[in-house]
Amino acid sequence: MQRQIVFPLFEEICLSTIIDDYREFRSAFMWCMGCKLCMHARSIVYCRANGIGWMSDGSAADSDEMVEQMLLSVSMIHWMYRDWGVEYFVPVYSIPRDEKRSMLKDMGFHM
C-alpha cells in the first residue's frame, strides 16, 4: 500500500498563510482545522483511488471546544466527502466521554 503524504498539502493550505490568517481571525485553532482538512482531503483521495465508499473518524461533541470537533466543522467535512462520492460518518460523536471510556475498558483497552 502506498503511503499518502499529508505534510505538503498542510504546508500549502495552512502553513503558507498561517500568519496572515491569525492576524485576520485571531485564532490559533486554524492550525487544527487546517490539519484536519488536509488529512480528510488525503483520505478522500485514498478512498477514491482504492474504491472505498466510506470513511469515519473519532470526532466527538464532548470535544467541541476545538473548532475541528464542532458540529459545523464536522458537517462541512461531511459535505466535502459527499461532494466526492464518499460517505463520511462519526459513529461516536454523540456518545459521552465516560461512556466511550467504559466501552473501551469493557473491550479490554486500558486508558
Side-chain angles (χ1 to χ4, degrees), residues 45-57:
V45 170
Y46 183 86
C47 286
R48 291 183 52 87
N50 291 281
I52 299 169
W54 52 269
M55 174 61 73
S56 67
D57 75 10

Side-chain angles (χ1 to χ4, degrees), residues 4-88:
Q4 296 295 320
I5 306 298
V6 175
F7 185 75
L9 185 59
F10 178 68
E11 193 171 37
E12 181 179 339
I13 289 175
C14 191
L15 294 183
S16 65
T17 62
I18 194 77
I19 293 171
D20 292 337
D21 290 343
Y22 182 80
R23 285 182 185 138
E24 182 176 348
F25 302 110
R26 296 285 186 221
S27 174
F29 283 113
M30 293 173 303
W31 177 277
C32 300
M33 190 63 199
C35 182
K36 186 147 187 154
L37 176 62
C38 294
M39 288 187 290
H40 282 293
R42 281 295 187 190
S43 293
I44 290 169
V45 170
Y46 183 86
C47 286
R48 291 183 52 87
N50 291 281
I52 299 169
W54 52 269
M55 174 61 73
S56 67
D57 75 10
S59 294
D62 54 12
S63 296
D64 71 352
E65 71 277 4
M66 296 180 251
V67 69
E68 76 279 7
Q69 302 286 323
M70 292 177 178
L71 185 57
L72 176 61
S73 299
V74 172
S75 297
M76 293 173 74
I77 292 166
H78 171 80
W79 300 330
M80 184 174 74
Y81 275 94
R82 185 195 60 207
D83 288 349
W84 289 98
V86 178
E87 182 182 345
Y88 169 73

